[in-house]
Amino acid sequence: MKKLKNIYIILFSLMTVLYGCQENEHEFGEIVSPTDIVITAEIVGADVDNPYGDGSGSVNFTATAANASSYVYYFDGVAEAAPSGIFTNRFSKVGVNLYTVVVKANGTGGISSTKTIDVEVYSSFSDVDAENFLSGANVGDSKKWYWQADVAVHVGMGPATDDYGNGEFAYEAWWNGIKAWDDEKSCMYDNEFVFTRTATGLTFEQTVGPAFVPGTYAGVLGVNGDQCHDETVVTTMFGTKNVSFGPSTSKAGTEGSYNNVEYRGTEFEISDGGFMGWYVGASTYDIISISNDEMIVRIIENSNSGSGAAWYHKFTSTKPVEGASTPDYTYNNLVWEDDFNTDGAPDAANWTYDLGAGGWGNGELQTYTNTTENAKVEGGSLIITAKADGSGGYTSARLKSQGLYKFKYGRVEVKAKLPAAAGTWPAIWMLGSNFPTVGWPLCGEMDIMEQTGADKNTSLGTLHWLDSASSTNASYGETTSVSNASSEFHLYTLEWSEEKVKIYVDDVPFYELTNNADLPFNADFFLILNVAMGGSLGGSVDDGFTEDTMEIDYVKVFQ
């Protein structure tokens, strides 16, 4: 009987436990849908005179709902998590525009409810130049950026807002000792960051990882710092994200200067937690300066880390190559240059023009002009634009230093990005200064770079002269592969001495001619930069061609 009693006690205990488990499961597993969603939108700067805001495009949103545990906002389909329901978004499309914003309130058991709100907002901010530098000006243009690892202080750190009497909040005051090709940072130097122009704005994508996490922020993630991590740690690294622009709001962006130059006053934000290689839990970058080939930015580390740090990053659109050997050039004294740093027409002290219908025996289709539509200096580059004129013809520009600068022997360096359209024929070249009196080819011609209209992955180097025996044009040329000549800047170089003429791309030689007294390459020459259309090397022009450009970062002559 005692054993039977014990069995009853055990069965009763088990029933009690099972009942309790069922009761607890019912209590904590109940599915509850959020209700009564309320969304408010405060347009920053809105008043009676400015009903759509102050032009910043900023709107402060607040969402509340019964039985909601968190919220997600959707702006044009892009999700932004807002656990508390409070979120500020900047709408960057210029003008007064109507936006539909979707808010999802998350409840228990994976159930959610949504509600929409329409807001009409005014944005007056625009920095078209910065956008064009980042991605290119035309829809579909895309541009890669890389760490500028070959220069010192490509990463630095300073205080976010504190000023110790000398503007330290705007430069790398705390940490500025990093050298080129720093061993600790080498894991990130293959990063690629792609900005693409779309019909509605810019997108961003990091196409090659990993992410570098500094020690100041690593504790937030619970990982080891000052090393690279993959997407399992930094989950927002990859994927296509949107880029929005606005006026700088940081103290550095509005008050600071960097190397005695004021900040640009523009910031951009990458959506969905996007960032450029260095992860500190933030996505908003102040543009300190930007050109076709270099960008310096500042990003403030997420304040939750407690470090109060701002990070400085330098990027380039020309990927540096570690250990790339520089040739032992004969000429290293810089005697003449144009770095194209003054916007407007090209410097009249350095450049004049060939004008009129092109061809000169080559069957070219363009008419050369001296207007800024075809040749201008902007954003640190000379931009030569070949354009369809709307009547079946084309205009372009051919700049030359004839009558302004000539030299004999030396090294010419031209850093350039070439057009991509079929039928364009860009050239960086030189003619003998006696051309007006003796004509071509007796004067001699040195083509540092030419590109055919059909093959945009090859650069040609060629020398022309008169073969006295036959009284005809003699030429010797070689080619080399340049796979991304239209999307990135490359260095085109000629080294010319009494003994040899050598041509290089990115300091790699691919052409050499032995000079002698019978050749015309022992007298003064002048420089020429142009984009032709069609002709013997341009070939057939794409039927849909509208315009394309050759961008030149600088021209330098060493002796």
Side-chain angles (χ1 to χ4, degrees), residues 460-476:
L460 290 68
T462 312
L463 265 61
H464 301 268
W465 63 93
L466 179 70
D467 177 58
S468 56
S470 62
S471 295
T472 60
N473 169 39
S475 62
Y476 167 50

Side-chain angles (χ1 to χ4, degrees), residues 46 62 83 115 119 174 178 196 211 225 285 308 385 388 411 427 436 449-450 466 479 535-536 539:
T62 302
K115 189 173 182 178
V119 291
W174 284 352
I178 185 173
T196 301
Y285 292 83
T385 304
R411 172 160 54 96
M449 184 288 303
E450 287 184 289
L466 179 70
T479 64
S536 54

Side-chain angles (χ1 to χ4, degrees), residues 311-488:
W311 292 96
Y312 296 80
H313 299 148
K314 294 179 181 177
F315 300 98
T316 176
S317 59
T318 303
K319 187 175 182 178
V321 178
E322 186 176 9
S325 58
T326 301
D328 185 16
Y329 287 123
T330 302
Y331 303 104
N332 293 292
N333 180 34
L334 181 64
V335 296
W336 186 92
E337 70 174 322
D338 197 331
D339 54 10
F340 306 112
N341 281 336
T342 302
D343 286 0
D347 189 344
N350 294 338
W351 305 103
T352 184
Y353 301 83
D354 276 325
L355 301 175
W360 286 276
N362 295 318
E364 298 162 30
L365 305 176
Q366 79 288 336
T367 296
Y368 284 131
T369 82
N370 59 1
T371 69
T372 54
E373 283 193 354
N374 295 118
K376 64 181 177 180
V377 176
E378 185 176 82
S381 289
L382 168 65
I383 301 174
I384 298 176
T385 304
K387 307 181 71 167
D389 63 9
S391 302
Y394 309 94
T395 61
S396 187
R398 184 155 102 173
L399 281 71
K400 58 184 182 178
S401 68
Q402 185 179 19
L404 300 170
Y405 180 70
K406 61 184 179 180
F407 64 100
K408 181 176 76 171
Y409 306 141
R411 172 160 54 96
V412 181
E413 289 187 355
V414 182
K415 191 173 186 180
K417 182 166 64 174
L418 308 181
T424 55
W425 174 7
I428 300 167
W429 53 301
M430 300 165 63
L431 274 180
S433 291
N434 59 352
F435 166 68
T437 57
V438 305
W440 183 92
L442 187 58
C443 66
E445 175 181 336
M446 293 188 274
D447 299 323
I448 304 170
M449 184 288 303
E450 287 184 289
Q451 183 194 67
T452 70
D455 182 357
K456 297 304 182 183
N457 297 314
T458 301
S459 180
L460 290 68
T462 312
L463 265 61
H464 301 268
W465 63 93
L466 179 70
D467 177 58
S468 56
S470 62
S471 295
T472 60
N473 169 39
S475 62
Y476 167 50
E478 295 286 355
T479 64
T480 189
S481 175
V482 188
S483 61
N484 51 3
S486 300
S487 59
E488 298 184 6

Side-chain angles (χ1 to χ4, degrees), residues 13 17 56 88 117 136 144 178 218 244 297-298 342 397 400 496 516:
S13 299
V17 170
S56 68
T88 299
I117 184 173
K144 289 181 182 178
I178 185 173
S244 60
V297 297
R298 177 184 188 268
T342 302
K400 58 184 182 178
W496 164 36
N516 62 63

Side-chain angles (χ1 to χ4, degrees), residues 254-269:
T254 56
E255 302 177 23
S257 63
Y258 186 87
N259 290 337
N260 298 315
V261 178
E262 290 185 359
Y263 275 55
R264 187 178 182 90
T266 296
E267 66 180 32
F268 66 88
E269 182 177 3

